[in-house]
Amino acid sequence: MGKNYKIKSIVVETVLSTIICAIGVCLFIEAGLGSNTIDVLVDGMHRHFSITLGQADQLFTFTFLILAFLCNRQYIGMPCIAYSIMIGFMIDFVNQWIMPLHLSEASFFIRITCVLLGQFCFALSYGIFQTVEKGMNTVDAVIYFLCKKTKIAYKWLRTIFDVIFFIIGIYFGGVIGIGTIFSVCFTGIMTDFVHQMIVKVKRRKGIAYMEIVGEDVA
């Protein structure tokens, strides 16, 4: 019973994290105020190589999957691989529903609201997935490996990675704007905060979660 519940919980949280992340990607890009930092790169790849957003995201994700497996495989398992496979398809699926809304033509208030909602989706998706056993997303697995080696907090290393993604994305022609700057400044901080809140809730309710080496959650 306990084992079956644990497996179901992992499956539900993996699928939920994937859906939430896909919604965030599409809201950010379709609002036309600049993409999330990773998606500046993904959007740039999509435009530069003439492939779909989903295909570009899969290429990015599998590249980091290899890096994560090489340097921090303790956090890489079937949930992570499932996420890596599903995310591209999920982005293309969700975008079928969001694209017809023509968010880029909406009022500035609606567009900025979409950006804020998209940013929250990213933080929530990453925060949930960081607690799933063997399910950390590939970028975070690489970042936490560097956290352990450098003793620099996740939120700051994540910000450094976001700046790097931002610069490369611009080179490839990704859409940037107010949302991109917001993403550079707050993705690491918001994800770290949401992750710690989720860990605290799971601790209080006695729900199993993946502990990160060196993590300090009061």
Side-chain angles (χ1 to χ4, degrees), residues 30-68:
E30 295 302 327
L33 292 177
S35 306
N36 164 276
T37 51
I38 289 179
D39 296 310
V40 167
L41 177 54
V42 170
D43 186 37
M45 292 165 63
H46 150 64
R47 296 168 186 272
H48 187 77
F49 299 113
S50 298
I51 55 180
T52 69
L53 281 173
Q55 290 169 339
D57 191 84
Q58 285 176 324
L59 178 59
F60 173 87
T61 301
F62 278 113
T63 299
F64 267 85
L65 178 61
I66 293 172
L67 290 174

Side-chain angles (χ1 to χ4, degrees), residues 4-216:
N4 288 337
Y5 175 81
K6 183 178 180 180
I7 292 174
K8 289 179 181 178
S9 177
I10 290 174
V11 170
V12 169
E13 290 185 270
T14 298
V15 173
L16 183 63
S17 297
T18 306
I19 294 172
I20 293 173
C21 185
I23 292 172
V25 170
C26 296
L27 284 174
F28 244 91
I29 292 177
E30 295 302 327
L33 292 177
S35 306
N36 164 276
T37 51
I38 289 179
D39 296 310
V40 167
L41 177 54
V42 170
D43 186 37
M45 292 165 63
H46 150 64
R47 296 168 186 272
H48 187 77
F49 299 113
S50 298
I51 55 180
T52 69
L53 281 173
Q55 290 169 339
D57 191 84
Q58 285 176 324
L59 178 59
F60 173 87
T61 301
F62 278 113
T63 299
F64 267 85
L65 178 61
I66 293 172
L67 290 174
F69 184 78
L70 291 175
C71 67
N72 210 3
R73 68 183 66 185
Q74 72 183 98
Y75 297 136
I76 304 300
M78 285 307 299
C80 178
I81 294 172
Y83 174 92
S84 300
I85 293 172
M86 289 191 300
I87 186 63
F89 297 110
M90 191 61 69
I91 288 172
D92 284 342
F93 175 76
V94 171
N95 211 34
Q96 293 180 73
W97 301 95
I98 293 181
M99 188 181 294
L101 299 177
H102 301 292
L103 296 177
S104 62
E105 300 172 10
S107 67
F108 179 77
F109 175 77
I110 292 177
R111 294 165 70 195
I112 199 67
T113 299
C114 288
V115 167
L116 295 175
L117 180 58
Q119 184 63 50
F120 176 73
C121 284
F122 287 125
L124 182 59
S125 173
Y126 300 157
I128 291 173
F129 213 41
Q130 286 173 356
T131 67
V132 176
E133 186 175 341
K134 298 287 185 179
M136 187 177 292
N137 75 63
T138 54
V139 173
D140 282 343
V142 173
I143 292 175
Y144 272 112
F145 167 77
L146 294 175
C147 287
K148 187 166 58 176
K149 294 295 183 181
T150 64
K151 308 302 180 184
I152 299 175
Y154 165 85
K155 57 186 175 182
W156 305 127
L157 276 179
R158 174 72 203 213
T159 301
I160 292 171
F161 267 66
D162 284 332
V163 171
I164 294 171
F165 295 146
F166 172 74
I167 293 172
I168 299 175
I170 291 176
Y171 175 78
F172 278 144
V175 176
I176 63 171
I178 296 173
T180 312
I181 303 303
F182 186 86
S183 180
V184 169
C185 296
F186 294 106
T187 295
I189 295 171
M190 288 179 65
T191 300
D192 185 60
F193 175 79
V194 171
H195 169 69
Q196 293 196 45
M197 293 301 101
I198 292 173
V199 168
K200 288 178 181 179
V201 169
K202 287 191 172 184
R203 280 182 180 176
R204 283 200 300 267
K205 294 184 176 297
I207 301 173
Y209 66 94
M210 180 175 69
E211 295 189 51
I212 300 172
V213 177
E215 179 185 38
D216 181 21

